[in-house]
Amino acid sequence: MTNGIITKVAGPLVIAEGMRDANMFDVVRVSSHRLIGEIIEMHGDRASIQVYEETSGLGPGEAVESTGAPLSVELGPGLIGAIYDGIQRPLNEIMKVAGNNLERGVEVPSLDHKKKWHFVPAVKKGDRVVAGDTIGTVQETHAVVHRILVPDKMSGTIKDIKEADFNIDETVAVLDNNGKTENLHMGTKWPVRIGRPYKKKLSPDILLTTGQRTIDTLFPIAKGGVAAVPGPFGSGKTVVQHQLAKWAAADIIVYIGCGERGNEMTDVLNEFPELRDPRTGNSLMERTVLIANTSDMPVAAREASIYTGITIAEYFRDMGYTVALMADSTSRWAEALREMSGRLEEMPGEEGYPAYLGSRLAQFYERAGRVIVNGSKDTEGALSVIGAVSPPGGDISEPVSQATLRIVKVFWGLDASLAYKRHFPAINWLTSYSLYTDQLEKWYAENASPDFMELRGRLMSLLQDEAELQEIVNLVGMDALSAPDRLKLETARAIREDYLHQNAFDDIDTYSSLNKQYKMLDLILAWYAMGQDALTDNVRFDDIVGVFVGLKILLRLVERGAVSVFLFLKITFFVRHN
């Protein structure tokens, strides 16, 4: 253990001397308040420390004590349903100790070390196990079976194991590790800046279904994929992430509120426990971990919150679960990097952000992926990361947005003008993109319909044609367009208003299965094809548009579960044309 002396305090940055035996990224305790800090730079015996708590009142001469261990998270039963701050301190427990105000220097364990969990062995005495194998399970919530894994770099023969109630510190199994006896516990620790190991990374060729038509049809994300949701204030980033948390085909949700306003984070903390999990009917919190780091908390803790969240997510991935991580927002995290970089007097990059902004973002997003996890069996796990970006004024040309877009493969660009028109989700179909579509084409053909991607291509083509035609309409008016072009506009309007628009607060419309999406898509394009045939048969355009109301009714029927609607559509056209 190394002790040093503070020589300088500059906001969240503390300089201490006498730290020669300390290492980079060691956790330290600063002053008599025992504030939590982390060494981020070393020059001889002089350490630059990033302090994760308020430093007002500190001064030169106060003591700094190194713990000799890196910043780590506690992993084990009790994570699900917990609400942590950026350095994994449980906010509910802190409130019991310190009241409603988050006091500095409060030391509360991340997990409950006294609570007993019922451990059910998955192996027996004499079985050989390797790192990553499941030795037993704990029913943590109704929705989550917590698998207890053999720790990294351990393997051997089980000498003793039994079914009983244990806390996370008690020995649940004894392992003969090449002649060395190891006691295995339910609780473990892992350094947040080091990604957890796995056997092999797999191709992202399985769709992460979300039930959101704009996403699943036009801009899909694969299991293990990465996506960015940039948008200005009020464009619906939080609602999009709520919808993904509720409906995405993920077993575990990790939600990081990184530097968000207190009232927004309060909404999340209030709403998530009340949201009904469509899988179980119980609270969504039964498969969720929340990390709350509001804008009034110390800025340096934002930097840690991202790593804390993704390490917890990797832990559940290693159990073989599909995990979705929501980070809201990485812009606030980047502001913490800029703050510390300025305090360290580093050469600034664009708009004052550090030159290493892109590499730090890449280190975070590249921990996502669909993988074969460690263990004797080839078990699949997946970690998908969706990061919200909050560019000032919605300008995505700023450095954080641009650095993010160079890394992620899905861009859901939220548009303030669409939000103003009450079109939600306000994902702009002309600027958004997904680079997973080619890899997912086979999956769509096998799990949705062989012609799903063909219909998607026709849909995108109509929306792009509409944008070009709309420019002409704005200049010379609708009457200047030919009947086929006007039919295109009407079809595109049906796509926008009835397919891409989705009401998150409607019990039925909030989620659309792929089968329902295909039927709605097929119906719109069938109406367009019939309309083209009718024009060829010299039917008046006004008569064709008169059937448009029928299309709207049919789309609602499909949305509500009706499937035999094509006959009605054909009859409607027949009656209208004859």
Side-chain angles (χ1 to χ4, degrees), residues 8-186:
K8 177 183 175 182
V9 179
L13 176 68
V14 167
I15 308 295
E17 292 184 349
M19 306 289 289
R20 184 175 299 278
D21 295 331
N23 298 310
M24 277 284 288
F25 301 121
D26 275 2
V27 172
V28 298
R29 292 289 184 171
V30 179
S31 82
S32 58
H33 295 290
R34 295 186 60 77
L35 308 184
I36 299 174
E38 183 184 18
I39 296 175
I40 57 173
E41 203 173 82
M42 290 288 296
H43 295 285
D45 70 341
R46 191 165 172 266
S48 298
I49 299 165
Q50 180 172 257
V51 181
Y52 294 128
E53 300 183 73
E54 180 59 51
T55 59
S56 59
L58 296 189
E62 296 195 60
V64 174
E65 177 188 300
S66 171
T67 63
L71 183 65
S72 302
V73 291
E74 276 195 297
L75 303 170
L79 285 171
I80 298 295
I83 303 169
Y84 295 112
D85 71 353
I87 47 178
Q88 211 205 4
R89 294 183 301 177
L91 295 178
N92 288 335
E93 297 304 313
I94 289 177
M95 187 178 72
K96 293 175 185 175
V97 173
N100 290 330
N101 294 320
L102 184 61
E103 295 182 6
R104 59 184 184 174
V106 175
E107 295 187 49
V108 179
S110 303
L111 297 175
D112 189 339
H113 289 248
K114 295 179 181 177
K115 182 174 180 178
K116 298 279 188 176
W117 299 91
H118 188 70
F119 175 78
V120 180
V123 294
K124 60 184 183 299
K125 184 178 178 180
D127 285 352
R128 176 154 184 86
V129 294
V130 299
D133 278 346
T134 300
I135 59 168
T137 59
V138 167
Q139 189 72 46
E140 187 169 354
T141 67
H142 287 97
V144 177
V145 175
H146 197 111
R147 294 165 189 151
I148 309 302
L149 309 177
V150 177
D152 189 39
K153 298 179 182 176
M154 282 193 191
S155 62
T157 305
I158 298 292
K159 291 176 65 177
D160 185 36
I161 191 168
K162 61 182 179 180
E163 180 175 350
D165 293 339
F166 301 99
N167 64 37
I168 62 172
D169 297 322
E170 292 175 327
T171 300
V172 297
V174 179
L175 181 71
D176 181 359
N177 185 11
N178 298 320
K180 182 182 177 183
T181 299
E182 301 278 3
N183 293 326
L184 304 185
H185 315 280
M186 289 193 285

Side-chain angles (χ1 to χ4, degrees), residues 75 131-134 145-152 188 190 194-200 252 310-323 367 369-383:
L75 303 170
D133 278 346
T134 300
V145 175
H146 197 111
R147 294 165 189 151
I148 309 302
L149 309 177
V150 177
D152 189 39
T188 185
W190 191 268
I194 299 174
R196 287 176 62 88
Y198 51 83
K199 278 186 189 175
K200 178 185 176 184
I252 307 290
I310 201 159
T311 305
I312 292 171
E314 284 177 330
Y315 175 63
F316 285 105
R317 175 208 69 189
D318 290 348
M319 296 181 196
Y321 286 122
T322 297
V323 185
R367 288 171 71 170
R370 187 168 69 94
V371 302
I372 300 293
V373 301
N374 283 348
S376 54
K377 298 178 181 177
D378 286 344
T379 303
E380 262 189 39
L383 168 54

Side-chain angles (χ1 to χ4, degrees), residues 204-226:
D205 54 14
I206 296 177
L207 178 71
L208 179 70
T209 54
T210 65
Q212 311 307 301
R213 293 189 288 269
T214 307
I215 293 173
D216 287 349
T217 301
L218 300 186
F219 314 112
I221 179 173
K223 280 189 179 180
V226 288

Side-chain angles (χ1 to χ4, degrees), residues 258-439:
C258 179
E260 287 301 291
R261 285 171 290 276
N263 59 333
E264 287 193 11
M265 202 64 228
T266 301
D267 287 343
V268 172
L269 298 179
N270 286 334
E271 288 173 15
F272 264 54
E274 294 178 3
L275 287 175
R276 294 296 98 191
D277 184 352
R279 297 183 176 197
T280 64
N282 298 322
S283 169
L284 188 63
M285 284 299 291
E286 290 197 1
R287 59 182 180 94
T288 302
V289 182
L290 288 179
I291 296 173
N293 183 263
T294 55
S295 54
D296 63 337
M297 292 181 180
V299 68
R302 295 181 197 173
E303 206 259 345
S305 65
I306 289 286
Y307 295 107
T308 298
I310 201 159
T311 305
I312 292 171
E314 284 177 330
Y315 175 63
F316 285 105
R317 175 208 69 189
D318 290 348
M319 296 181 196
Y321 286 122
T322 297
V323 185
L325 181 141
M326 319 289 169
D328 188 11
S329 90
T330 53
S331 294
R332 310 280 182 259
W333 173 74
E335 286 171 8
L337 287 182
R338 180 167 61 181
E339 168 86 7
M340 292 308 301
S341 178
R343 301 284 184 185
L344 290 166
E345 299 177 1
E346 295 172 336
M347 182 68 73
E350 190 179 355
E351 293 189 22
Y353 289 101
Y356 48 78
L357 171 66
S359 64
R360 289 287 181 86
L361 277 167
Q363 287 169 11
F364 167 65
Y365 280 109
E366 285 172 7
R367 288 171 71 170
R370 187 168 69 94
V371 302
I372 300 293
V373 301
N374 283 348
S376 54
K377 298 178 181 177
D378 286 344
T379 303
E380 262 189 39
L383 168 54
S384 308
V385 175
I386 296 104
V389 186
S390 308
D395 178 17
I396 64 168
S397 65
E398 56 89 39
V400 181
S401 299
Q402 289 302 305
T404 303
L405 293 183
R406 283 193 287 270
I407 299 160
V408 302
K409 291 194 170 185
V410 179
F411 170 64
W412 297 320
L414 298 181
D415 194 318
S417 63
L418 286 174
Y420 182 76
K421 294 173 185 174
R422 318 309 296 167
H423 178 106
F424 292 106
I427 297 173
N428 189 313
W429 48 87
L430 298 176
T431 58
S432 302
Y433 62 82
S434 170
L435 301 181
Y436 292 118
T437 48
D438 290 343
Q439 291 164 292

